[in-house]
Amino acid sequence: MTRIDTEVLVVGSGAGGAVTAATLAAAGRTVTVLEEGPWVDPDALEPFSLDEMRLKYRHRGLSAALGAPTIAFAEGRCVGGSTEINSGLFPRLPDELAEEWRLNYAIDEFTPATLARYADGIEAQLTVSTLPSAPPVSSALLERGATKLGWRSVEFRRVFRYEGGRATKQTMARTFIPRAVRSGARVIPDCRVAKLLRDGDRLVGARAKRSTPDGDEPVDIRAEHVFVCGGAVQTPALLLRSGIRARIGVGLKLHPMIKIAARFPFELDHGDVPMHRITEFAPYIEIGGSASRKGQVAMALADSGAEYSEAMTDWSHVAVYYAAIREGIGRVRVVPGLRAPIVTYNLTDADMSRLARGLVRLGEALLAAGATELYPSVGGADVVRRPEDLVSWWDAVTRTRTNLMTVHLASTVRMGENRACTAADSFGRIRGFTNLRVNDASLLPDAPGVNPQSAIMTIAARNCDEFLAS
Ligand SMILES: Cc1cc2nc3c(=O)[nH]c(=O)nc-3n(C[C@H](O)[C@H](O)[C@H](O)COP(=O)(O)OP(=O)(O)OC[C@H]3O[C@@H](n4cnc5c(N)ncnc54)[C@H](O)[C@@H]3O)c2cc1C
């Protein structure tokens, strides 16, 4: 048994955990980060490759929120968390949404001005920017389709550094984690926290297991303060496993995504994810592009249930696009004896019809951009070649035929002073505990409608300042 004494224990090293560790260590706190996944050199693996899925994803990328339809989802599990595998799109939380959350959930110090101050700081540290040159074809096509239809579109800024013709994603393993270590933080990979240990209204530490080549080694941690930053599924799971239940795990929000594999009469790029988004229907429907390596193209074509072998031989002309909504609600539960939590998600009939609308809008944009064949992620739906045939998709998007996925999960430990629907206070402190905080995607009280990493890091940085001030 290894025994660790620390002032601050941070569980998880992703977007929320890395900011927490770097900020608190820079302020002179003794910080220990325990990360369940391995350390993987950020330059070692091809982005969006099968090797990446094997080493950096939880369950090798195969997780699902059960429901009708079931929604496949992915989470990172490595030092840096999901920031190591994501696309680096970094839009800010829209001001109108921040204001809505502030009022509905009674969140203190959550004005657009306060959030902007923290977002400025994070963006400066991560060199968030637009492309220094023309966008790749797969991205420009979204802009072209939108422009032809008279819709709004925008190039999202990304968390990339552009130097000497090379674009390097500024993941947590490249930025905040090394900064935390330089300030004295200790980061322990391959170390899963199984349970938090409490004594009345205080946490005293945690029990963890570290995987080594010789087998699992128990680790006993004693800490004065605990920040749980395991992501929107694992954070509530750890709290529930530790007997901390009040309003934990309920209210899960995600962005259900419906996809189209679109074939064009010309070669497309496949190395990057499109940075353009069609914002005409925001915040209710977001339209964008996904990773489109050969494997992802094959999966998207297969999701259509159509005969796709001919399209697959031409896969270099095919890219994958999506329409995402903000609707639905779910839950994270733990079951004794099961290591993984059970995740469920419900969509209403109205939500399904919004997905159908998103799919049809996406189809319109892709055809306007020059696509010749559209394979929707709806089993048995028509492969569409002309705008007038898109109408057949309205009835095809049913609970049994539609294949959905997501990479954005949030809201399982909602923050705010509205005690009827939040588990943590305005700064992530769990009610009923003096020294337990959450500081990750779980705190977002609703689906942000845009890629969430910026909002997560902005809120985490703000919460750290409040912790240091108190
Ligand atoms: C494929 C993909 C693409 C995405 N693209 C974008 C994008 O372009 N832009 C964007 O804004 N967002 C994107 N996201 C989402 C974004 O990356 C996440 O919302 C964000 O990283 C969540 O931050 P987090 O701190 O809550 O959790 P994470 O970053 O997921 O980090 C949680 C970490 O905690 C660890 N952990 C969990 N439980 C334990 C435990 N018990 N003990 C020890 N460690 C534990 C996990 O292993 C993980 O490493 C994407 C996500 C994925 C998966």
Side-chain angles (χ1 to χ4, degrees):
M1 162 96 69
T2 303
R3 163 90 188 236
I4 296 170
D5 286 282
T6 187
E7 190 180 355
V8 179
L9 166 65
V10 179
V11 181
S13 63
V19 176
T20 307
T23 311
L24 302 189
R29 302 300 173 114
T30 309
V31 175
T32 303
V33 182
L34 301 188
E35 167 54 54
E36 180 178 349
W39 161 261
V40 183
D41 182 329
D43 288 319
L45 302 174
E46 186 73 20
F48 310 116
S49 63
L50 286 176
D51 277 344
E52 195 179 71
M53 290 180 93
R54 195 166 53 79
L55 281 170
K56 296 191 187 176
Y57 282 59
R58 186 171 297 275
H59 306 143
R60 301 176 177 214
L62 296 172
S63 301
L66 306 178
T70 284
I71 304 175
F73 70 86
E75 300 169 279
R77 183 184 160 279
C78 57
V79 173
S82 304
T83 74
E84 304 305 310
I85 57 173
N86 75 16
S87 314
L89 295 155
F90 215 75
R92 288 189 184 189
L93 180 67
D95 284 353
E96 321 78 73
L97 216 54
E99 196 55 13
E100 191 184 302
W101 292 1
R102 187 177 74 76
L103 295 171
N104 288 349
Y105 299 92
I107 311 176
D108 293 342
E109 293 180 42
F110 207 76
T111 60
T114 304
L115 295 177
R117 187 155 49 83
Y118 285 101
D120 286 346
I122 295 283
E123 288 173 8
Q125 292 179 73
L126 290 179
T127 61
V128 172
S129 55
T130 49
L131 287 168
S133 50
V137 178
S138 61
S139 192
L141 286 171
L142 281 171
E143 188 184 28
R144 186 199 294 177
T147 307
K148 283 212 172 150
L149 295 166
W151 296 348
R152 279 166 297 168
S153 70
V154 67
E155 180 195 331
F156 275 3
R157 295 194 301 157
R158 298 192 306 166
V159 56
F160 274 71
R161 180 186 285 279
Y162 300 100
E163 247 169 11
R166 184 163 182 246
T168 311
K169 189 172 67 174
Q170 300 300 291
T171 69
M172 293 304 105
R174 284 199 174 98
T175 55
F176 281 83
I177 291 293
R179 268 174 228 167
V181 171
R182 281 198 296 276
S183 300
R186 183 172 177 197
V187 179
I188 306 178
D190 302 308
C191 191
R192 175 176 187 260
V193 175
K195 197 169 181 178
L196 303 173
L197 305 174
R198 54 193 281 198
D199 181 7
D201 64 355
R202 280 188 66 73
L203 281 209
V204 290
R207 244 195 348 250
K209 262 196 188 141
R210 186 169 180 202
S211 320
T212 73
D214 304 325
D216 284 350
E217 176 200 13
V219 181
D220 181 35
I221 306 108
R222 299 288 137 171
E224 288 169 36
H225 301 277
V226 177
F227 284 77
V228 182
C229 309
V233 173
Q234 305 306 323
T235 284
L238 175 57
L239 295 175
L240 291 167
R241 280 202 303 272
S242 309
I244 301 163
R245 296 199 178 90
R247 294 190 186 81
I248 304 289
V250 293
L252 169 70
K253 296 292 294 187
L254 47 83
H255 294 151
M257 294 173 175
I258 190 162
K259 291 193 170 180
I260 293 178
R263 188 172 177 185
F264 288 84
F266 42 81
E267 187 108 358
L268 301 169
D269 53 287
H270 293 86
D272 224 335
V273 167
M275 7 353 244
H276 280 88
R277 291 291 177 271
I278 296 179
T279 50
E280 181 68 19
F281 313 102
Y284 306 106
I285 297 173
E286 189 191 79
I287 290 179
S290 297
S292 296
R293 298 287 170 112
K294 192 174 183 182
Q296 284 103 2
V297 168
M299 282 198 295
L301 286 169
D303 270 350
S304 72
E307 162 49 44
Y308 63 87
S309 50
E310 202 258 323
M312 195 57 212
T313 58
D314 193 33
W315 80 272
S316 62
H317 291 200
V318 181
V320 186
Y321 295 88
Y322 71 81
I325 62 167
R326 292 176 61 215
E327 275 66 29
I329 190 146
R331 187 161 185 171
V332 175
R333 293 179 176 86
V334 291
V335 177
L338 284 188
R339 189 181 158 106
I342 307 278
V343 182
T344 53
Y345 207 75
N346 294 317
L347 293 166
T348 63
D349 289 346
D351 303 337
M352 292 303 295
S353 121
R354 186 164 283 176
L355 275 167
R357 180 163 171 245
L359 186 70
V360 170
R361 294 298 193 204
L362 171 60
E364 286 178 57
L366 293 169
L367 290 174
T372 51
E373 234 169 45
L374 305 181
Y375 294 78
S377 64
V378 180
D382 291 343
V383 174
V384 164
R385 297 177 179 82
R386 301 174 311 166
E388 52 271 38
D389 296 333
L390 287 168
V391 68
S392 71
W393 287 353
W394 281 106
D395 290 333
V397 179
T398 64
R399 294 179 183 281
T400 48
R401 292 164 66 182
T402 305
N403 295 302
L404 300 177
M405 62 87 62
T406 192
V407 289
H408 301 159
L409 302 106
S411 316
T412 45
V413 187
R414 288 184 285 203
M415 64 192 284
E417 305 305 321
N418 181 347
R419 288 170 177 250
C421 55
T422 60
D425 75 4
S426 295
F427 300 95
R429 197 183 295 108
I430 298 295
R431 291 224 168 73
F433 290 86
T434 53
N435 62 343
L436 169 62
R437 291 177 181 240
V438 163
N439 218 15
D440 64 11
S442 318
L443 291 182
L444 271 53
D446 200 351
V450 292
N451 314 64
Q453 189 185 338
S454 165
I456 295 163
M457 295 185 74
T458 299
I459 293 169
R462 163 187 165 279
N463 295 351
C464 285
D465 271 5
E466 194 269 349
F467 168 78
L468 291 169
S470 62

